[in-house]
């Protein structure tokens, strides 16, 4: 982290934070895929998944911090009702970060609930007012909210010393593709309309929000709009074909990211659309000309 590049008009993301503080929040986020209830899968029973989670949480060689994070995640999935409603899943997902990562006392939040965008601003006492992070939360396109993701988005913005606008984009299945993409592009254009230049804006996100951030840049480029100064994406969901080899062996690689759950999210989000569309799966897009 000592060698992070410095981009024009954007301060170093680690300049005002201790390495330990940044890594703690990054690890907590990087380890969390789209949060959804574990359901029975043809390749793995609930009992075997729970055993794998326990083994994963207690693996040898983990630091105390990493063991703590993994235990929290394993306990979350173990306590999730198998037949939880979508509303219950959303409530639990929003509570997960808020219950496990304390918010710094100096953070301040301002709601935005007007056309054309909905979301919230967050600032800390050392926030530079002329640098913006547009943050897109994770949750598999069906879960998540700016409030629930505050310990991720707002804390990262605070540590970087920049203003964060966390977008409440529309969720599937009520609002399938391209609703989330349209909302994110609208939010970016809204920031430009407020006299922020593209070189003052970073677009960021985790998991589905990270994939969405990349998709937004494809869309902006097609519209002839200036791209942001940089993109900051954590464990972005870039391949909704679910074609990776690790997806077929969850107990070996990723005991809480079950393919059947992700397939349901894809179905809810796409409603039968083209899963290889770069606006959906950025993996299949052309990144030439993109910012850092």
């Amino acid at each position: 982290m000592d060698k992070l590049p410095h981009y024009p008009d954007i301060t170093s993301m680690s300049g005002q934070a201790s390495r330990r503080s940044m890594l703690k929040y990054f690890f907590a986020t990087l380890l969390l895929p789209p949060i959804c209830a574990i359901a029975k899968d043809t390749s793995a029973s609930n009992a075997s998944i729970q055993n794998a989670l326990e083994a994963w949480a207690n693996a040898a060689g983990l630091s105390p911090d990493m063991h703590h994070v993994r235990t929290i995640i394993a306990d979350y999935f173990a306590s999730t009702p198998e037949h939880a409603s979508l509303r219950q899943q959303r409530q639990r997902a929003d509570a997960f970060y808020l219950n496990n990562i304390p918010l710094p006392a100096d953070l301040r939040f301002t709601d935005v609930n007007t056309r054309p965008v909905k979301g919230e601003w967050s600032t800390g006492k050392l926030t530079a007012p002329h640098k913006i992070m547009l943050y897109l939360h994770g949750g598999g396109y069906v879960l998540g909210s700016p409030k629930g993701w505050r310990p991720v988005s707002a804390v990262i913005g605070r540590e970087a010393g920049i203003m964060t606008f966390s977008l409440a984009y529309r969720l599937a299945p009520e609002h399938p593709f391209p609703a989330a993409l349209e909302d994110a592009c609208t939010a970016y254009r809204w920031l430009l309309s407020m006299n922020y230049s593209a070189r003052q804006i970073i677009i960021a996100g985790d998991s589905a929000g990270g994939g969405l951030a990349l998709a937004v840049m494809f869309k902006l480029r097609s519209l002839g709009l200036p791209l942001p100064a940089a993109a900051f994406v954590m464990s972005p969901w870039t391949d909704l074909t679910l074609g990776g080899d690790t997806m077929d062996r969850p107990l070996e690689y990723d005991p809480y990211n079950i393919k059947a759950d992700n397939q349901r999210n894809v179905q809810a989000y796409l409603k039968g659309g083209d899963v290889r569309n770069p606006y959906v799966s950025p993996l299949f897009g052309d990144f030439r000309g993109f910012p850092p």
Side-chain angles (χ1 to χ4, degrees):
M1 294 190 67
D2 293 332
K3 297 182 179 180
L4 280 175
H6 178 80
Y7 302 122
D9 300 327
I10 299 293
T11 58
S12 169
M13 294 294 287
S14 61
Q16 298 176 10
S18 71
R19 177 178 300 167
R20 181 177 178 83
S21 175
M22 290 293 283
L23 288 178
K24 188 172 183 180
Y25 289 112
F26 284 4
F27 277 138
T29 304
L30 286 164
L31 286 170
L32 290 172
I35 299 175
C36 45
I38 290 180
K40 290 183 178 178
D41 183 41
T42 56
S43 62
S45 67
N46 278 359
S48 62
I49 292 171
Q50 298 305 327
N51 290 337
L53 279 166
E54 184 176 352
W56 173 79
N58 293 291
L62 296 177
S63 69
D65 280 349
M66 189 59 69
H67 176 263
H68 179 60
V69 168
R70 288 193 178 193
T71 300
I72 290 171
I73 295 169
D75 289 347
Y76 172 86
F77 283 103
S79 65
T80 298
E82 183 178 346
H83 300 292
S85 68
L86 182 57
R87 180 180 179 184
Q88 289 172 323
Q89 291 181 52
R90 286 173 175 170
Q91 289 173 337
R92 287 177 60 82
D94 281 355
F96 182 87
Y97 284 119
L98 292 171
N99 289 345
N100 290 294
I101 303 178
L103 289 172
D106 65 312
L107 276 174
R108 296 291 180 266
F109 300 93
T110 304
D111 285 336
V112 175
N113 190 7
T114 184
R115 293 181 181 180
V117 297
K118 182 178 180 180
E120 67 177 22
W121 288 102
S122 62
T123 58
K125 65 180 181 180
L126 298 178
T127 295
H130 59 287
K131 296 180 174 67
I132 307 296
M133 178 169 68
L134 172 59
Y135 196 88
L136 307 173
H137 64 75
Y141 295 108
V142 299
L143 309 176
S145 72
K147 182 177 180 181
W149 260 245
R150 281 177 177 178
V152 183
S153 58
V155 168
I156 291 173
R158 173 188 182 271
E159 299 297 325
I162 58 180
M163 295 178 65
T164 298
F165 181 74
S166 184
L167 177 67
Y169 59 84
R170 290 171 290 171
L171 299 176
E174 301 95 323
H175 304 284
F177 174 82
L181 179 63
E182 291 173 346
D183 290 353
C185 289
T186 296
Y188 184 80
R189 298 177 80 159
W190 174 69
L191 291 173
L192 294 179
S193 74
M194 297 171 64
N195 293 324
Y196 293 109
S197 74
R199 296 182 69 79
Q200 293 175 289
I201 302 172
I202 286 176
I203 189 167
D206 66 281
S207 197
L212 181 58
L214 299 175
V216 166
M217 291 195 291
F218 285 128
K219 186 65 175 179
L220 295 176
R221 185 171 63 185
S222 73
L223 295 173
L225 292 172
L227 298 182
F232 175 64
V233 294
M234 298 175 288
S235 294
W237 192 13
T238 63
D239 182 10
L240 273 66
T241 72
L242 306 178
D245 177 63
T246 59
M247 293 300 300
D248 294 319
R249 290 183 281 169
L251 301 188
E252 180 179 350
Y253 287 99
D254 191 350
Y256 55 86
N257 200 349
I258 305 303
K259 189 171 186 176
D261 290 329
N262 287 309
Q263 287 172 331
R264 282 188 285 273
N265 288 348
V266 171
Q267 183 178 10
Y269 183 54
L270 272 186
K271 302 290 186 182
D274 180 9
V275 74
R276 295 176 68 92
N277 182 343
Y279 294 160
V280 172
S281 296
L283 176 68
F284 302 105
D286 181 358
F287 288 84
R288 285 178 295 183
F290 268 31

